[in-house]
Amino acid sequence: MNYTWNWGIFFEPSPEGTGTYADMLLSGLLWTILTALASWAIAFCLGSIVGVMRTLPSKAARGFGTAYVELFRNVPLLVQMFLWYFVLPELLPPAAGAWIKQLPNAPFYTAVICLGFFTAARVAEQVRAGIEALPRGQRLAGTAMGFTVAQTYRYVLLPNAYRIILPPMTSEFLNNLKNTSVALTIGLLELTARARSMQEFSFQVFEAFTAATLLYVLINVVVIVAATFLERSLTIPGQR
């Protein structure tokens, strides 16, 4: 195998004319982080609502929550990304569809919504499991204190459930972060897409994807360390 290593490629000007190859990768890293954070905000809020619905006494609420989880969890993410980006604008009224297509950074908004709805199904399962793992007496205690159902969840069940599910929620956030790479298929210039562009321009495939790998690992380590400190700060005294 005749391959010429060139680690100095990162400091050479990129064909885009806006800096070096290192700048390209850092730009992709920024889009990756923005996409992950924005989609996680949607996933956390929507997933919490769906997860709560799956534990309510109402059969209709539980049915809706179950249908949502089964739909978004069982359709591949790549298929969902294509549906959101290529199919949805065609199903809307012509004016609305044209407006969506002409949005600046349309791939970014599409990726955020798609990842948010996809990850929300997984977050919902974590929230449901956390609530059902709590002793039944906590729900009864809220009722005995005169709380409404909403108040029982707000002040009793959810704060304790989130303490339980923090570690798996961290894993879901990391999965969401890595799933941003799928957005390259709709034109979002995130980290993986930038690494591919660097490889196509310079033919330094190993350098490009080694750098992308290290950046992904670095982000994941930062998230894990932050989650560890958060978990320690939220631990109920006497449980550890």
Side-chain angles (χ1 to χ4, degrees):
M1 178 178 177
N2 297 320
Y3 183 82
T4 303
W5 294 87
N6 180 18
W7 294 104
I9 187 67
F10 300 107
F11 306 103
E12 296 181 8
S14 72
E16 295 179 343
T18 56
T20 63
Y21 283 109
D23 295 326
M24 280 181 59
L25 292 178
L26 292 177
S27 172
L29 176 63
L30 177 61
W31 280 111
T32 292
I33 294 173
L34 289 176
T35 305
L37 292 176
S39 59
W40 179 252
I42 296 174
F44 181 79
C45 296
L46 181 59
S48 296
I49 294 172
V50 175
V52 167
M53 292 178 69
R54 297 202 65 192
T55 64
L56 290 174
S58 170
K59 290 184 179 180
R62 291 202 306 271
F64 176 84
T66 300
Y68 180 94
V69 170
E70 294 302 322
L71 173 63
F72 284 92
R73 193 172 59 171
N74 291 299
V75 178
L77 176 59
L78 182 59
V79 174
Q80 294 188 37
M81 194 73 71
F82 285 160
L83 290 175
W84 281 102
Y85 190 70
F86 295 109
V87 178
L88 179 63
E90 305 300 329
L91 298 178
L92 297 174
W99 178 77
I100 291 176
K101 293 176 184 178
Q102 294 170 5
L103 277 174
N105 298 321
F108 168 72
Y109 296 115
T110 302
V112 166
I113 294 173
C114 177
L115 286 170
F117 277 69
F118 174 79
T119 309
R122 305 180 65 86
V123 172
E125 283 296 273
Q126 302 293 349
V127 172
R128 178 192 62 80
I131 293 173
E132 292 181 349
L134 297 173
R136 185 167 177 266
Q138 293 200 16
R139 188 188 297 265
L140 297 177
T143 303
M145 294 180 66
F147 287 170
T148 63
V149 173
Q151 289 174 328
T152 300
Y153 276 90
R154 167 65 179 85
Y155 297 108
V156 180
L157 299 180
L158 286 178
N160 290 319
Y162 284 133
R163 283 189 169 111
I164 296 174
I165 64 175
L166 181 58
M169 289 278 269
T170 302
S171 297
E172 292 301 338
F173 177 79
L174 294 177
N175 287 334
N176 181 64
L177 176 68
K178 290 178 284 188
N179 284 338
T180 58
S181 60
V182 178
L184 70 86
T185 58
I186 60 172
L188 180 63
L189 296 178
E190 43 71 57
L191 181 55
T192 302
R194 286 297 193 178
R196 286 189 60 183
S197 297
M198 176 180 172
Q199 169 252 315
E200 291 169 356
F201 286 137
S202 67
F203 300 102
Q204 304 296 143
V205 57
F206 293 110
E207 289 87 344
F209 284 99
T210 297
T213 300
L214 292 176
L215 289 173
Y216 275 119
V217 170
L218 177 61
I219 300 173
N220 279 264
V221 169
V222 171
V223 171
I224 291 171
V225 171
T228 300
F229 281 108
L230 181 61
E231 183 180 357
R232 289 176 181 173
S233 67
L234 295 178
T235 300
I236 300 174
Q239 287 192 346
R240 277 192 167 185

